[in-house]
Amino acid sequence: MSRSERLLQLLQLLRNHRYPVSGADLASQLNISLRTLYRDIRSLQAQGAQIEGETGLGYVLREGFVLPPLMFTPEEIEALVLGARWVSERTDSELAGSARQALAKISAIVTPALRYRLDESPLLVGPTDSSLLCQQLVLDIRQAIEAEHKLVIHYGDQNGRQTERTIWPFAIGFFDQIRLLVAWCELRKEIRNFRLDRITNLQTTGNKYPRRRQTLLNEWYRQNNISRQ
């Protein structure tokens, strides 16, 4: 592996960790010595990468430094195409448009060979049940999540009984058969899952909920024993 390839791989490893990762772990994954790792980190910092941390505490890459897009591999390009096609078919119109725009931006700067992979990828996304789309509902919920605003919903259980809930939405799960809204429910005083196809009415309140979205999401991860990098 050339030094430039190693530096790019180091950047990618740092991008994969939202929290500080030790130098020993990074050196092990790159199969290099700690001395070489420290030298590489200094080189990246000199080139503008905002890598924070120090020996013994770990390192984290702050937002704002972009990997050169020309370094995408053919497999990475096809993964992006497949993901963008999935988003285009199974989410709201805003996200679908953003997925197409992202591919257009990538197409404008990659090599001709990779552009061919973008345009002619054989990886296809099959049709989905149109009843799962709920495009306007998904858009309204996503906007509420972004703003950390409470929602008032009318929700039907599996027996058809309706209840009115004030909820704090913080995540949406896109599954093959259902779409789930994850939110704190003021009625139940706990985090609950709500099927989008059982929401019969939704009202945006414009009122912020008292806890941060990320705090609620982290709590949900802990409750479900899901680890995060």
Side-chain angles (χ1 to χ4, degrees), residues 165-167 183-192 194:
R165 315 282 188 101
T166 298
I167 61 173
W184 175 269
C185 177
E186 292 188 356
L187 178 65
R188 304 303 185 195
K189 306 299 182 186
E190 62 182 358
I191 294 175
R192 301 294 291 264
F194 300 93

Side-chain angles (χ1 to χ4, degrees), residues 191-206:
I191 294 175
R192 301 294 291 264
N193 297 329
F194 300 93
R195 289 179 50 151
L196 265 61
D197 60 333
R198 293 181 182 172
I199 296 176
T200 57
N201 188 47
L202 179 146
Q203 296 175 340
T204 57
T205 67

Side-chain angles (χ1 to χ4, degrees), residues 62-151:
R62 298 303 179 191
E63 294 183 2
F65 192 82
V66 181
L67 287 174
L70 294 178
M71 296 308 297
F72 284 131
T73 67
E75 290 75 19
E76 288 169 343
I77 286 290
E78 292 201 337
L80 289 172
V81 171
L82 183 61
R85 287 175 175 174
W86 193 97
V87 170
S88 296
E89 291 291 333
R90 285 166 167 74
T91 61
D92 61 82
S93 58
E94 185 178 90
L95 274 182
S98 295
R100 290 189 291 269
Q101 290 172 17
L103 287 183
K105 289 179 180 179
I106 294 172
S107 178
I109 53 178
V110 297
T111 62
L114 291 180
R115 189 175 302 117
Y116 175 80
R117 289 274 187 151
L118 275 171
D119 297 337
E120 305 296 335
S121 173
L123 306 181
L124 307 177
V125 174
T128 187
D129 185 346
S130 60
S131 66
L132 295 176
L133 294 179
C134 312
Q135 289 203 13
Q136 188 58 49
L137 188 63
V138 172
L139 180 58
D140 290 342
I141 293 171
R142 284 203 308 107
Q143 291 173 344
I145 291 173
E146 180 67 25
E148 298 183 346
H149 283 171
K150 295 183 180 182
L151 293 172

